[in-house]
Amino acid sequence: MSGYDSNNIFAKILRGEIPNDTVYEDDHVLAFNDIAPQAPVHILVIPKGAYISIDDFGVNAGAEENKAIYAAIASITKDKGLSGDGFRCIANTGINGGQEVPHFHMHILGGKKIGPMVAHAA
Ligand code: 5GP
């Protein structure tokens, strides 16, 4: 997808310009603790490639990158002991989704019951 902003905060993290608390890394994926956690476990899982959103990623990422994101989520949630009680993954997308950082990221939230799927009814 054109229009990727290479100055977004996660691009800077990927370039090592801003520190992060890494919990997982492989050739395609970086995962780190969210700076403002909304749950006892709140981890952001991002592709190393330049994708704006989950739909950009879905259309333009390769098979290995797709596999790597889900493998990373499985590895992290197992490692953090979330598999038994469960967790939630969220990919906020665009204005209506409330996406603040325009680099595709999956939130992993766990360690307590996460609550209603949306904050309030439309
Ligand atoms: P979004 O609203 O785009 O789905 O979520 C962006 C997330 O990135 C937020 O949960 C926010 O706390 C987190 N965040 C923003 N800046 C930083 C940062 O510099 N470091 C880390 N670790 N997380 C950040």
Side-chain angles (χ1 to χ4, degrees):
M1 187 179 283
S2 62
Y4 178 83
D5 172 13
S6 58
N7 280 321
N8 78 74
I9 201 102
F10 294 168
K12 291 179 179 176
I13 284 175
L14 285 167
R15 289 196 296 268
E17 296 168 10
I18 292 176
N20 74 92
D21 186 10
T22 299
V23 299
Y24 177 97
E25 183 168 15
D26 66 24
D27 287 349
H28 299 293
V29 176
L30 181 69
F32 47 89
N33 286 313
D34 196 292
I35 203 167
Q38 305 293 310
V41 177
H42 187 173
I43 293 166
L44 301 170
V45 183
I46 72 173
K48 290 186 173 177
Y51 302 103
I52 297 171
S53 57
I54 193 170
D55 47 346
D56 180 20
F57 184 80
V59 169
N60 294 310
E64 286 298 317
E65 293 171 291
N66 268 277
K67 190 175 171 188
I69 285 283
Y70 292 104
I73 291 169
S75 174
I76 293 162
T77 53
K78 183 179 178 199
D79 189 49
K80 296 291 178 185
L82 302 181
S83 307
D85 288 339
F87 55 91
R88 183 172 294 162
C89 287
I90 299 172
N92 295 323
T93 307
I95 292 170
N96 280 1
Q99 183 178 5
E100 294 171 3
V101 180
H103 180 111
F104 170 43
H105 49 283
M106 196 78 87
H107 296 255
I108 299 173
L109 294 153
K112 69 171 187 179
K113 286 194 175 173
I114 302 304
M117 190 161 67
V118 293
H120 54 79

